[in-house]
Each structure stands twice: as C-alpha cells, then as structure tokens.
Amino acid sequence: PTATLLFPVVHEVFEEKRLQYSPNKVSFKIEISPDAKMIFAAIQEDELKRTLSNLIDNSVEASADAVFVKLFVEQRNIIISI
C-alpha cells in the first residue's frame, strides 16, 4: 500500500462510469465533503479503483436509475458511500 490522495482516485472512477452509463440514462451525482478532499490513505490504488468500479456496476445492474457517490470523514474514519 502507498499513501494516496483519495479524492482523485474516487473522482476518476466516478467520471469513467458516468461516461460509460450516460447512454443508459443513469443519473450520476458525487459529493465530496471539504475535509475529505485532502485525505490520504495507505491503499493499493488499482484495487480500490477496481472495487469502486465493481460497486458502481453492481448498483446500475440492480436497476438503479441513479448512482450517488459520497466521500466523507466521520469520527476519523474515511467513508466512501455508493
């Protein structure tokens, strides 16, 4: 694992999936809390990207007409909600 700024990783996957599903008329929204924009975490970036991508794919396949991604910090915990 490498110390990685999370916001760009989450945002990159979000944008890729938003473009991928735009023909399907799936609505995408992202919310990043101000304190989460500068959060670093010891992660394996490729694995996090793959996991986020799979979670978004699963939510769309489960008949979601909207995907909401949220990155925030709560009591010193980093939370990514899809």
Side-chain angles (χ1 to χ4, degrees):
T2 305
T4 305
L5 188 60
L6 286 179
F7 168 69
V9 175
V10 173
H11 192 263
E12 178 184 333
V13 174
F14 174 84
E15 286 300 319
E16 288 173 1
K17 291 300 174 178
R18 185 181 62 79
L19 291 173
Q20 176 184 340
Y21 287 109
S22 63
N24 298 23
K25 302 202 184 327
V26 176
S27 169
F28 277 76
K29 182 178 178 187
I30 188 168
E31 181 181 312
I32 310 292
S33 67
D35 55 345
K37 287 189 175 182
M38 297 305 294
I39 294 294
F40 284 81
I43 63 168
Q44 292 183 333
E45 187 174 332
D46 290 341
E47 288 186 21
L48 178 60
K49 285 180 178 180
R50 183 172 42 254
T51 300
L52 293 173
S53 177
N54 288 341
L55 287 169
I56 292 171
D57 288 342
N58 291 347
S59 69
V60 171
E61 290 170 11
S63 300
D65 58 355
V67 175
F68 181 54
V69 176
K70 187 173 179 182
L71 172 64
F72 61 101
V73 178
E74 184 176 274
Q75 298 178 355
R76 298 185 55 186
N77 295 308
I78 302 165
I79 301 172
I80 301 171
S81 172
I82 299 175

